[in-house]
Each structure stands twice: as structure tokens, then as C-alpha cells.
């Protein structure tokens, strides 16, 4: 698995309508009178904050967590990583996206796909946590 840093968004942003009802996966008929307010996705996900950035995921090692190759993840570098968090990190200068497991003095970077083994952080390894994955965005467009 590899990742591509996309960085922060440029200034600006369009506000989109937010409907106040839940949409079933059938044949909804949204009407203009159900619009509660207009929201901005960058405001909703706090993307414009200086400590938040976007990363494009490549590979399938995190599919069990719902993160697939081609997905964009929204990463917050201002939050301290804890056991169970999904992180963007560098292990010995290799950028990765994994679930962080910390037990006593042991640190393990876990894939969410049984095809990939856990990566134990050993003495002498360099692990840098670049941020926590807060959200993921996936395109459902046919390619």
C-alpha cells in the first residue's frame, strides 16, 4: 500500500444544499422545501484547518475498515494517536495507512485485510505518526 499526499484545499468552496430528511436507497423525491440549510463539505469536515490535509490511498490493505484504493482520506495531525486509531504514518521512511495497536511496550501497525501481516515496530525502527484518519471519501463513478 502506498499513499499520495494531496495537501490542503485551496481557498474558496461552494456551499451545497443539506436536506433535513433521510434518503432511503429507493426512489427518493427531494423537494426544495426540505432544504434545511446550505453547508460546505470543507466546513463539515474541517478541511480548511491548517492541521487537516488530504491523502489518496493506494492498495487494498485497509479494505476491512472501509478504506479502498483510490479513496481520499481526511487526516488530522493535531490529534494524539491512541490504540485502535487508523493513522497515516511513516515506518522507516515508508508512508503507510494502518490501524495502530499499542499494548504495554509493544506497537503494531495492523492491516485490515487478512492478506497482509501485522507490522511490529521493533527497537531501531523509526515510526512517525503523521495524523489520524478522520473521514474517507470514495467515488462511485464507473471507470
Amino acid at each position: 500500500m502506498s499513499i499520495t499526499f494531496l495537501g490542503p484545499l485551496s481557498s474558496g468552496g461552494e456551499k451545497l444544499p443539506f436536506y433535513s430528511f433521510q434518503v432511503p436507497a429507493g426512489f427518493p423525491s427531494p423537494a426544495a422545501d426540505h432544504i434545511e440549510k446550505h453547508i460546505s463539505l470543507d466546513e463539515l469536515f474541517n478541511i480548511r484547518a491548517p492541521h487537516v490535509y488530504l491523502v489518496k490511498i493506494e492498495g487494498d490493505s485497509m479494505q476491512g475498515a472501509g478504506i479502498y484504493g483510490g479513496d481520499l482520506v481526511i487526516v488530522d495531525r493535531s490529534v494524539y494517536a491512541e490504540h485502535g486509531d487508523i493513522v497515516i504514518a511513516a515506518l522507516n521512511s515508508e508512508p503507510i495507512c494502518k490501524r495502530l495497536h499499542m499494548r504495554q511496550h509493544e506497537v503494531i501497525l495492523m492491516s485490515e485485510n487478512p492478506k497482509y501481516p501485522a507490522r511490529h515496530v521493533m527497537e531501531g525502527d523509526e515510526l512517525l505518526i503523521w495524523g489520524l484518519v478522520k473521514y474517507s471519501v470514495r467515488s462511485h463513478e464507473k471507470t
Side-chain angles (χ1 to χ4, degrees):
M1 166 186 266
S2 63
I3 58 177
T4 302
F5 287 93
L6 301 176
L9 292 180
S10 59
S11 63
E14 183 176 338
K15 298 220 181 229
L16 303 172
F18 176 71
Y19 292 91
S20 62
F21 61 92
Q22 295 182 358
V23 178
F27 296 98
S29 177
D33 58 343
H34 288 286
I35 294 177
E36 186 172 313
K37 63 180 179 176
H38 283 77
I39 62 170
S40 167
L41 292 179
D42 56 325
E43 289 174 8
L44 180 66
F45 295 133
N46 201 26
I47 294 174
R48 300 243 183 254
H51 57 273
V52 174
Y53 60 96
L54 303 174
V55 173
K56 184 174 182 181
I57 300 295
E58 299 170 17
D60 62 353
S61 71
M62 293 303 290
Q63 69 183 12
I67 300 173
Y68 296 86
D71 285 359
L72 293 177
V73 293
I74 300 167
V75 181
D76 187 339
R77 65 179 179 200
S78 72
V79 182
Y80 184 77
E82 296 181 358
H83 174 78
D85 288 336
I86 297 175
V87 298
I88 299 296
L91 179 60
N92 300 324
S93 300
E94 177 190 349
I96 55 175
C97 177
K98 300 288 180 211
R99 187 171 302 275
L100 180 65
H101 283 258
M102 298 186 297
R103 301 283 182 178
Q104 296 172 347
H105 299 290
E106 185 176 43
V107 177
I108 305 169
L109 298 169
M110 304 287 295
S111 296
E112 293 284 339
N113 184 333
K115 294 188 330 187
Y116 300 97
R119 300 196 56 189
H120 293 261
V121 179
M122 309 300 284
E123 188 174 332
D125 284 338
E126 181 182 34
L127 175 64
L128 299 172
I129 305 293
W130 290 341
L132 272 62
V133 174
K134 302 296 275 187
Y135 305 97
S136 64
V137 180
R138 177 175 313 113
S139 172
H140 294 278
E141 187 175 51
K142 291 181 182 180
T143 56

